[in-house]
Amino acid sequence: SVPRCYLNKQLATVRVLKGDPAELSCTVSKDNVTGTWFKDGLKLTSMDGVVFEKKGLVHKLIINKAEDIHAGKYRFEGGDVKTEASIFVEDPPQVDKVLLKNLTSVPTVAKAGEGVKLRIPFEGRGPIRATWLKDRMELGDDTRIRVDKTDTCTTLSISSCDRRDCGDYKVRLKNDSGVLEINLKLVVIDKPQPPAGPIKIVESSANNITIQWKPPKDDGGKPVQRYFVERQLVGRNDWETLGETPRSCTSFTMSKVEEEMSYYFRVRAMNAEGASDALESGEVKAAGKASPGAPDPPEVISASRDTITISWKAPRKTGTSQITGYIVQKRKKGTVTWLPVTNAPVRDKKLKVTSLKKGVQYEFRVAAVNAAGTGQPSDPSEPAFARDPTKSPGQVQDLKVSSSDSTSVTLTWNKPEVQDGNDVKGYEVEMRPCNSLSWTKCFTLPAESTSCRVQGLQAREKLFLRVRALSDSGPGEASELEACAGAAAPVVSPRLLIDDTVKSFLVIKAGNPIRVKIPFEGSPEPVVTWLKDGLPLPSRAAVSTEDGSTQLLLRAAEFSDSGTYTVELGNGLGKRETFSFQVQITDIPQPPGAIRLEENVPSTVTVTWDPSASEQWEKNLYYTVLKRESQKGLWHVLGDLIYNNKFTFTRVVPGRDYYFRVVAKNDLGASDPSETVQPWRIRKTKAVFRVKAQKYRGVNQNQPPRFLVPLKSHVVVTGSECHMSCAVGGHPPPKITWYKDSRDLSRDPNYFCTNDFGVCSLVVLGVTKQDEGEYMVEASNEVGRAFSKAFLAIKGNS
């Protein structure tokens, strides 16, 4: 006997984007098989854009460019074999790539007061829902803003824009094949706001007045270029222009003022768009002449057998004019009479007092002088003896290198022996390279410190170090040694130590902290940089890096913290490594809006509701619909994982009360429910039908059933309604019977069948995954029978 032909490889269902190529192929066991292709039960001999190909044992159906007409159920028959599969053509929203790149990469810039129109044409299978959002909030029509949509484009119009309209915008296009989100940025430029006040009076004297202000809080989108300063004499109406300052200077000094006169001042900020409104001061009065205040007590710098050198600082209050000099006075300790040291004021703030008596203790005081006269004298200085200084301190003891590494050397020593009561006041550390004779001061340390670390050295670098003690008599003799830095640590390329504890996707509840800690290694110590969406972190973020790990911390997560975070290591030698992870901020959803009930199909109720406000920020939001049949009965789930705002309940019993509840859900939990207040009831009715037989005359016009329009395959979303229809001819009018996977649907309450003058429809209410499969409609009369088949595919709404 001749061996039978069988399938080596069956057809497989294909999902393809509209416009992309598609291919169905199967492999048989015999080369001489001539195959026949069918679509939706009809034999294919030719079809636009479809090519049939046979290569050896492989039979192919090739679609060069998939269109809606190519969607359906295909069957291959040849010899003893038969195999079936479906092609689903998906057409999500799309925008021209060049336009999309221009919109997302370059901000739209407008001047304040001008109208702005953002138009985005799109393509895709309708209906397409277009939503505009700003700062995660959906935009609606108001007195300035209008959102328009046609079948092919959506437009955002702002009649008169201002600085409030600056920000990030998002356009969301959605149909049953997918979602497209487009991020836009709008920049509105304007003249700046007034400088931030109040105007401060830094100085007010008889000769000048100095005012100070702060930059404006909003520069109008263009940098401030300069400030204009004006003044007005109290009692007059005209303003006098004083001058301008560059953007970096926020103070102004007026030298032409009249004593005891009062003024108003105002300042304007200027950018490329114009001048701001003015910031005005209160009344400012120019002071009269006043002498300086008292300086702090002078300090004794040094002393010898007949001289003492002192210094002092200018007084905090200089009076109404500049200080021209200082009067210096002296007295012996224990006396009350002050004697002048010089015949005229001293211009410098340092003086060597001579002709003193050896061994006598003196006190000194100073007073500042300006145009108004001599100010108050200072308090007396600390008493000082006119005598030669004591001997300098001795050498430090036991100077040695206690430790070293590739870039530093640590020194330790002991205090010198005390000589004649000359206490050590501190230490001075110096260094010089081996190839130099010049010493460089490294540190001046207090008397309590007997160690120091010299850093910034090269590996294996040799150098000389010396330490000397300091006292009131001057520096002591230095102790010196030779030191060498250690060998350089080996170079280790920067590497992030990513393990199972570091997640690439984090879902954080709003208000909870974001804490990510990542260990790393590298030598020299790498530089750690954190970014969010390619930009520096927000000011609320805290980053700490120590002991081979870096941590990101945001104490209370906000929705704006969602995005891509990147940590980057660099060692200054060109070696870099990065790691990125996603953060999604979410929260328990807010409840849905009001519920509405309608009887669109007899003996059914369609439940619709307003979306939860959480749809604006939660992509994975879905709804659950529940019902109960009395006010105190238990709630039962009717539909779950519903991604739209509509659900149809088909098993309604006339005369019974129903209450409905809708809950919004996401990965974190469920919202509070939205419920109907009044019960839903369908009244019992009795229908009376009268059929009057039609009388026919003439020849026998009986015809067997035939399908004028066959069934077509469908792809629908879980929870929605599906309408399948066909047109049937024949005489007498055929009887119509629907089947799913060979099961009669006539008595199944989940399906609603109609036959209006040969147009036959099957309505599947609130489809679920169990409704997927092959549907067949049979038309029969006394002359014959006919069949038409189609496939229903169900997909989740994501």
Side-chain angles (χ1 to χ4, degrees):
S1 62
V2 178
R4 295 185 60 188
C5 178
Y6 57 88
L7 281 169
N8 289 334
K9 177 186 175 185
Q10 296 186 351
L11 296 178
T13 295
V14 174
R15 294 183 182 274
V16 62
L17 290 176
K18 185 175 181 180
D20 288 355
E23 179 180 292
L24 294 175
S25 67
C26 63
T27 306
V28 298
S29 61
K30 299 177 69 175
D31 185 41
N32 59 354
V33 171
T34 300
T36 305
W37 291 88
F38 297 82
K39 179 180 182 294
D40 298 328
L42 300 177
K43 182 178 179 181
L44 287 176
T45 56
S46 64
M47 187 176 183
D48 289 343
V50 178
V51 177
F52 307 110
E53 183 181 280
K54 176 181 181 301
K55 289 185 178 180
L57 303 177
V58 180
H59 294 259
K60 293 183 179 181
L61 182 147
I62 301 172
I63 301 174
N64 295 324
K65 186 177 181 182
E67 301 291 344
D68 289 336
I69 61 171
H70 297 129
K73 188 170 184 179
Y74 291 80
R75 185 173 76 251
F76 174 82
E77 293 183 2
D80 303 320
V81 301
K82 177 168 48 173
T83 177
E84 295 180 339
S86 296
I87 294 179
F88 300 106
V89 178
E90 298 185 341
D91 190 9
Q94 297 183 62
V95 174
D96 180 75
K97 292 182 178 179
V98 175
L99 174 62
L100 188 62
K101 182 178 180 181
N102 292 337
L103 288 172
T104 57
S105 61
V106 180
T108 300
V109 179
K111 290 188 176 183
E114 293 183 349
V116 175
K117 183 172 288 188
L118 300 174
R119 181 177 180 274
I120 300 181
F122 54 78
E123 298 177 348
R125 180 182 295 127
I128 294 178
R129 180 184 176 188
T131 307
W132 287 80
L133 300 98
K134 180 180 185 291
D135 300 329
R136 297 181 176 270
M137 300 298 293
E138 184 173 349
L139 294 176
D141 292 347
D142 60 18
T143 55
R144 294 188 312 111
I145 298 176
R146 179 177 175 182
V147 176
D148 296 307
K149 177 187 171 295
T150 67
D151 292 339
T152 59
C153 77
T154 179
T155 305
L156 173 67
S157 302
I158 304 176
S159 59
S160 178
C161 62
D162 55 37
R163 292 283 291 166
R164 294 173 300 168
D165 300 316
C166 288
D168 296 322
Y169 290 75
K170 178 179 288 186
V171 184
R172 182 178 294 153
L173 303 174
K174 183 176 182 180
N175 67 2
D176 60 1
S177 294
V179 179
L180 175 63
E181 291 187 344
I182 305 170
N183 294 311
L184 312 173
K185 191 175 187 67
L186 176 61
V187 176
V188 179
I189 57 175
D190 196 359
K191 64 182 182 182
Q193 290 185 356
I199 292 178
K200 293 183 178 180
I201 309 304
V202 178
E203 179 183 357
S204 177
S205 67
N207 298 321
N208 54 59
I209 296 176
T210 300
I211 62 172
Q212 189 178 64
W213 60 91
K214 296 179 181 178
K217 294 181 179 179
D218 184 0
D219 63 4
K222 289 289 186 72
V224 173
Q225 297 172 342
R226 55 192 178 275
Y227 298 96
F228 290 104
V229 183
E230 298 173 287
R231 76 175 179 185
Q232 182 188 60
L233 193 62
V234 173
R236 295 186 180 179
N237 296 325
D238 56 321
W239 287 87
E240 175 188 357
T241 300
L242 297 177
E244 61 182 60
T245 68
R247 57 175 295 183
S248 59
C249 181
T250 56
S251 65
F252 189 87
T253 299
M254 288 136 285
S255 58
K256 295 180 180 180
V257 296
E258 299 180 32
E259 294 182 29
E260 305 293 340
M261 297 300 293
S262 296
Y263 300 90
Y264 295 111
F265 298 94
R266 68 183 184 188
V267 184
R268 301 177 191 269
M270 170 72 80
N271 68 3
E273 297 300 311
S276 71
D277 294 335
L279 168 68
E280 294 192 13
S281 72
E283 183 177 332
V284 181
K285 187 175 183 179
K289 290 184 177 180
S291 56
D296 290 336
E299 295 182 0
V300 175
I301 298 176
S302 64
S304 67
R305 67 177 63 192
D306 58 356
T307 64
I308 296 177
T309 302
I310 61 172
S311 67
W312 59 91
K313 296 179 181 178
R316 296 180 181 86
K317 296 181 179 179
T318 60
T320 56
S321 60
Q322 293 184 347
I323 293 175
T324 58
Y326 297 88
I327 301 296
V328 182
Q329 296 175 316
K330 67 180 179 180
R331 73 179 179 184
K332 295 178 183 179
K333 185 179 179 183
T335 64
V336 297
T337 303
W338 290 96
L339 301 175
V341 174
T342 60
N343 296 325
V346 179
R347 299 186 63 86
D348 199 0
K349 291 190 285 292
K350 181 179 180 182
L351 179 65
K352 184 176 182 180
V353 183
T354 60
S355 302
L356 302 177
K357 290 185 178 182
K358 179 180 178 182
V360 176
Q361 203 170 11
Y362 289 91
E363 294 176 323
F364 301 90
R365 71 179 186 181
V366 295
V369 179
N370 70 0
T374 303
Q376 292 294 319
S378 69
D379 290 336
S381 68
E382 291 292 329
F385 286 97
R387 65 185 180 187
D388 290 330
T390 56
K391 294 181 180 179
S392 60
Q395 284 186 306
V396 299
Q397 304 293 312
D398 301 324
L399 178 63
K400 62 183 179 181
V401 175
S402 62
S403 65
S404 67
D405 56 28
S406 61
T407 60
S408 68
V409 170
T410 301
L411 299 177
T412 60
W413 61 88
N414 294 324
K415 292 183 178 181
E417 295 180 0
V418 177
Q419 299 179 359
D420 298 331
N422 191 12
D423 293 336
V424 173
K425 300 297 185 182
Y427 298 95
E428 184 177 80
V429 182
E430 298 175 295
M431 65 171 284
R432 70 174 178 87
C434 291
N435 57 358
S436 174
L437 298 177
S438 299
W439 290 91
T440 302
K441 183 186 293 186
C442 301
F443 306 101
T444 299
L445 305 173
E448 299 79 21
S449 298
T450 56
S451 67
C452 73
R453 185 183 182 193
V454 182
Q455 296 178 289
L457 307 179
Q458 299 295 323
R460 301 189 184 280
E461 179 183 0
K462 290 185 178 181
L463 68 159
F464 291 95
L465 297 166
R466 69 184 184 187
V467 180
R468 67 175 82 228
L470 304 176
S471 72
D472 291 337
S473 303
E477 185 179 352
S479 294
E480 184 176 325
L481 57 71
E482 183 179 3
C484 179
V491 176
V492 178
S493 296
R495 185 165 72 94
L496 293 162
L497 305 178
I498 306 300
D499 55 21
D500 294 340
T501 62
V502 182
K503 307 298 183 184
S504 61
F505 185 80
L506 299 177
V507 178
I508 306 293
K509 184 179 179 182
N512 286 354
I514 302 175
R515 182 180 283 105
V516 179
K517 188 172 185 179
I518 300 178
F520 63 86
E521 65 179 11
S523 180
E525 184 82 8
V527 176
V528 181
T529 304
W530 284 85
L531 302 171
K532 177 183 179 290
D533 298 328
L535 299 174
L537 295 176
S539 58
R540 299 184 302 104
V543 173
S544 58
T545 301
E546 59 183 1
D547 298 331
S549 67
T550 180
Q551 177 177 276
L552 167 68
L553 174 63
L554 288 105
R555 298 190 181 279
E558 301 176 359
F559 291 120
S560 60
D561 295 326
S562 296
T564 301
Y565 290 79
T566 302
V567 58
E568 179 180 274
L569 294 183
N571 65 355
L573 303 176
K575 299 290 186 178
R576 307 175 75 84
E577 180 165 346
T578 62
F579 172 71
S580 297
F581 57 93
Q582 298 283 332
V583 174
Q584 175 67 46
I585 308 301
T586 186
D587 203 349
I588 295 176
Q590 298 183 28
I595 298 177
R596 295 174 293 279
L597 306 174
E598 298 176 352
E599 186 181 7
N600 295 326
V601 177
S603 298
T604 69
V605 56
T606 298
V607 184
T608 58
W609 57 92
D610 293 333
S612 164
S614 300
E615 278 195 21
Q616 299 172 4
W617 48 263
E618 178 59 74
K619 292 184 179 180
N620 297 323
L621 186 77
Y622 61 92
Y623 297 93
T624 299
V625 179
L626 307 94
K627 64 95 177 172
R628 66 180 180 186
E629 298 180 5
S630 67
Q631 282 190 326
K632 297 184 179 179
L634 296 177
W635 290 99
H636 299 279
V637 175
L638 295 180
D640 199 7
L641 296 174
I642 301 172
Y643 290 89
N644 55 19
N645 307 120
K646 181 178 180 182
F647 179 83
T648 300
F649 175 47
T650 59
R651 301 181 180 89
V652 177
V653 178
R656 184 175 296 177
D657 289 343
Y658 290 92
Y659 296 85
F660 294 92
R661 165 185 283 182
V662 181
V663 178
K665 296 181 178 179
N666 64 4
D667 296 337
L668 288 183
S671 71
D672 294 334
S674 179
E675 300 179 0
T676 57
V677 179
Q678 299 298 326
W680 173 266
R681 174 185 293 183
I682 298 178
R683 295 184 179 181
K684 295 182 179 180
T685 58
K686 293 184 179 180
V688 178
F689 297 93
R690 295 180 179 178
V691 180
K692 183 177 181 180
Q694 184 74 25
K695 295 181 180 181
Y696 293 92
R697 295 181 180 181
V699 298
N700 184 3
Q701 297 180 348
N702 289 354
Q703 293 181 352
R706 68 186 187 282
F707 283 91
L708 306 177
V709 179
L711 288 179
K712 292 184 178 181
S713 294
H714 289 69
V715 180
V716 296
V717 177
T718 303
S720 61
E721 297 179 358
C722 176
H723 294 260
M724 305 178 72
S725 60
C726 61
V728 182
H731 189 78
K735 175 186 176 183
I736 303 301
T737 307
W738 289 85
Y739 298 89
K740 176 185 180 293
D741 298 329
S742 302
R743 178 171 63 86
D744 190 345
L745 303 179
S746 301
R747 297 183 179 275
D748 193 325
N750 291 321
Y751 302 91
F752 187 73
C753 308
T754 61
N755 183 0
D756 296 325
F757 303 103
V759 177
C760 306
S761 297
L762 175 70
V763 180
V764 187
L765 302 169
V767 297
T768 65
K769 196 66 178 177
Q770 288 73 26
D771 293 317
E772 186 173 73
E774 183 181 71
Y775 287 77
M776 182 180 75
V777 58
E778 176 190 26
S780 61
N781 63 10
E782 61 189 34
V783 184
R785 306 168 71 186
F787 304 89
S788 180
K789 297 180 180 180
F791 194 82
L792 173 61
I794 312 298
K795 71 173 185 176
N797 188 357
S798 58

